Amino acid sequence: MSWGTELWDQFDNLEKHTQWGIDFLDKYAKFVKERLEVEQNYAKQLRNLVKKYCPKRSAKDEEPRFTSCIAFYSILNELNDYAGQREVVAEEMGHRVYAEIMRYANEIKCERKSHLHEGRKAQQYLDMCFKQMDNSKKKFERECREAEKAQQTYERLDNDTNATKSDVEKAKQQLNIRTHMADESKNEYAAQLQNFNAEQHKHFYIVIPQVYKHLQEMDERRTIKLSECYRGFADAERKVIPIISKCLEGMVHAAKSVDERRDSQIVVDCFKSGFEPPTDYPFEDYSQHIYRTVSDGTISSAPKQDSVRADKVTVGKAKGKLWLFGKKPKQGPALEDFSHLPPEQRRKRLQQKIDELNRELQKETDQKDALNKMKDVYEKNPQMGDPSSLHPKIAETTGNIERLRMEIHKNEAWLSEVEGKVSQRAERRHSVEANHLVAQGRESPEGSYTEDTNQEIRVQHHPHGHSEFDDEFDDDEPLPAIGHCKAIYPFDGNNEGTLSMKEGDIMYIIEEDKGDGWTRARKQNGDEGYVPTSYIDITLEKNSKGAVTYI
């Protein structure tokens, strides 16, 4: 859509529109400036807040020993880094947005002034041509009226018998002069009219459209510049998002590092006196001097001591009882076989993993079938494509299928193992419930009970150190390390089941290379996965060969 053809008579409105565009540009520049001040003030206030609550280096405060205090100061450090990123945002907006838009606003103002000057100049020239044409028109009209008057005077004198011949000749001569002047005015008017029409056509079809085109281009560039500034405004925020995310992750990590048990232990270590609690006050019998003969109602301290001793023995036995399921294991990092989860949750997750792998396998199988069909088409019609170009993709798909089948087989083995143990635990549960209905013994603080001390001993000391309940958590232990390795090259580990690593990372080897070029390793944070064997320098323990029993 062109302004020159559609808005040929809207010079004043276009002038107002372009002025509005410049005003809007200045308005946005003012907004960016105030936004910068908000960011700068925000960053400044955050830094002041961090400075206010950070511990003084000279002060010997004992609070940082607590995990909650250490986490809080870590959060303050992350918040200080976050404030630095807000300053980066403000600086980026100042350079890329505010400075650029102010420079362009000055340029567009000068350009608009130049284009409007050209338009006004062209309009003034057209007005001058119109004035000349109008003057020649009025002169021609005036000369025609004078010629008509001379014509009437001549005809009147020519018809008047009393008029002298000299008067008639004089009137005729005057008529000729007026007629000649009218003809000259007519020719001049025609020339001026032709010139004006040509200039008017040039004005509305060449000059003004050109001026309007320049104004339109200027206005569109202004719109594009605003779009670029909007994008730069967002990019300034987007660039710092990864670092801000790391700051927030650091805060979350600090929150997770809070250990209430450790803080409680620190309190105990700080304030523990080492004294024993006071014992019961003995009964002092002041009536023994009054009643010499001991009667049945006499209160003696011996039964009291026996009672206290009996209570102590009872408490000691209560302390000696074990929780039926042993010590509750700590939650470890997520493992590939989901052994960090409870048995039922592990079974569900394994089943979900198998379903996902089956879907991926079906997808890869369909892709392989499609590639084979395409290869057959290429072989029958060579002009459609080269069959050999599909070989790498087919080989890759075949490798993915084999890998997925191995993963499915491995997860199905784990699932079978879990389902077998779940059934065993169900049988044990029924047995325990039956014993619970029969037994009427003492109940421990944890909810377990025994009928006699011999039964307690059998629970506490199972042969070979593996009770039925210990087996429930033995399988949740991660695979043992058979050596260690050092990363020679970095590896992204984008595929599922692989482990990312950086050059120089030290990891544990938990499964040797079985000839496929991959070694299973574990990082110190508990993450496991496969890494290329050629990317690591492996050192195996001599007494750990054959520790892994499956791939």
Side-chain angles (χ1 to χ4, degrees), residues 25 77 160 173 177-178 203 226 251 285 299 314 317 373 381 412 434 456 477 480 504 516 525 531 538 551:
L25 202 63
N77 292 331
D160 189 6
Q173 186 178 3
I177 292 174
R178 289 299 178 182
H203 177 81
L226 281 173
M251 294 181 184
D285 187 8
I299 300 176
T314 304
K317 288 185 179 181
K373 291 180 181 179
N381 301 296
E412 286 178 347
E456 290 180 1
E477 294 296 328
D516 56 356
N525 60 2
V531 297
I538 301 175
I551 297 178

Side-chain angles (χ1 to χ4, degrees), residues 210-225:
Q210 190 70 19
V211 173
Y212 286 3
K213 180 182 178 182
H214 292 159
L215 289 174
Q216 182 179 1
E217 292 174 353
M218 179 196 72
D219 191 74
E220 290 176 354
R221 288 199 306 272
R222 176 190 64 83
T223 306
I224 293 173
K225 179 59 68 175

Side-chain angles (χ1 to χ4, degrees), residues 58-122:
S58 59
K60 295 182 179 180
D61 194 358
E62 296 295 327
E63 286 185 353
R65 294 195 305 164
F66 297 95
T67 58
S68 57
C69 296
I70 296 174
F72 174 66
Y73 297 138
S74 299
I75 291 174
L76 289 179
N77 292 331
E78 297 294 344
L79 188 62
N80 190 57
D81 296 339
Y82 177 84
Q85 295 308 307
R86 304 319 305 176
E87 293 175 348
V88 171
V89 170
E91 183 178 358
E92 188 74 8
M93 288 182 181
H95 289 305
R96 291 193 55 188
V97 182
Y98 182 74
E100 181 65 18
I101 205 169
M102 291 299 295
R103 180 192 63 79
Y104 185 76
N106 294 330
E107 291 180 0
I108 200 174
K109 288 177 183 178
C110 296
E111 184 179 357
R112 174 181 176 273
K113 184 177 180 181
S114 175
H115 295 326
L116 293 179
H117 178 71
E118 291 178 3
R120 292 193 184 95
K121 185 178 179 181

Side-chain angles (χ1 to χ4, degrees), residues 357-367 404:
L357 291 174
N358 283 324
R359 287 193 293 269
E360 294 182 10
L361 178 61
Q362 184 62 38
K363 183 178 178 181
E364 293 291 337
T365 304
D366 295 341
Q367 184 176 0
L404 290 172

Side-chain angles (χ1 to χ4, degrees), residues 271-279:
F271 303 108
K272 182 178 179 181
S273 64
F275 296 110
E276 293 291 336
T279 58

Side-chain angles (χ1 to χ4, degrees), residues 4 8 11 119 122-123 202-204 206-213:
W8 60 271
F11 183 84
Q123 187 65 40
K202 179 180 178 182
H203 177 81
F204 287 109
I206 299 177
V207 179
I208 287 299
Q210 190 70 19
V211 173
Y212 286 3
K213 180 182 178 182

